[in-house]
């Protein structure tokens, strides 16, 4: 996408975003910015290392589609902190995103 074709997000055309490190200082600032105008953004995923309580709160606040925790030992805590009620949203352990491409199980 060149700068000539760039358009600011709007309510008519929300911009899809994924925030890596959403519980860190820069990620928190990004979450706050999006929360000021949530109709202009569609949060696809939030990613954090260990802070599942903050991640779950952000996921609820921004209605994120996915929440990903990098530490697989914190996955159960994320699942407990962010009970998913809609099939569109779900917590994802990081190990799922690291599956080598081209390999099939079975």
């Amino acid at each position: 996408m060149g700068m000539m074709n760039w358009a600011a997000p709007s309510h008519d055309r929300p911009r899809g975003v994924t925030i890596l490190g959403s519980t860190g200082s820069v990620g928190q600032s990004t979450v706050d910015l999006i929360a000021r105008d949530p109709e202009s953004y569609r949060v696809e995923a939030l990613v954090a290392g260990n802070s599942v309580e903050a991640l779950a709160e952000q996921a609820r606040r921004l209605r994120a589609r996915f929440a990903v925790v990098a530490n697989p030992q914190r996955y159960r805590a994320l699942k407990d902190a962010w009970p998913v009620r809609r099939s569109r949203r779900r917590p994802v352990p990081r190990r799922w995103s690291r599956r080598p491409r081209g390999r099939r199980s079975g």
Side-chain angles (χ1 to χ4, degrees), residues 1 5 12-13 19-20 30 39 50-51 69 82 105:
M1 173 188 326
N5 297 329
D12 296 331
R13 293 182 55 168
I19 304 172
L20 306 176
T30 304
E39 299 300 317
N50 289 299
S51 303
V69 62
W82 188 43
S105 60

Side-chain angles (χ1 to χ4, degrees), residues 38-50:
E39 299 300 317
S40 293
Y41 298 92
R42 184 182 66 253
V43 178
E44 295 296 331
L46 298 172
V47 181
N50 289 299

Side-chain angles (χ1 to χ4, degrees), residues 8-31:
S10 68
H11 294 203
D12 296 331
R13 293 182 55 168
R15 176 136 342 195
V17 296
T18 293
I19 304 172
L20 306 176
S22 69
T23 60
S25 60
V26 174
Q28 288 178 7
S29 295
T30 304
V31 166

Side-chain angles (χ1 to χ4, degrees), residues 55-75:
L55 177 62
E57 187 276 324
Q58 291 173 341
R60 280 189 297 273
R61 181 177 176 197
L62 299 178
R63 297 188 336 226
R65 185 171 179 201
F66 297 99
V68 181
V69 62
N71 182 346
Q73 295 173 339
R74 299 292 288 153
Y75 174 67

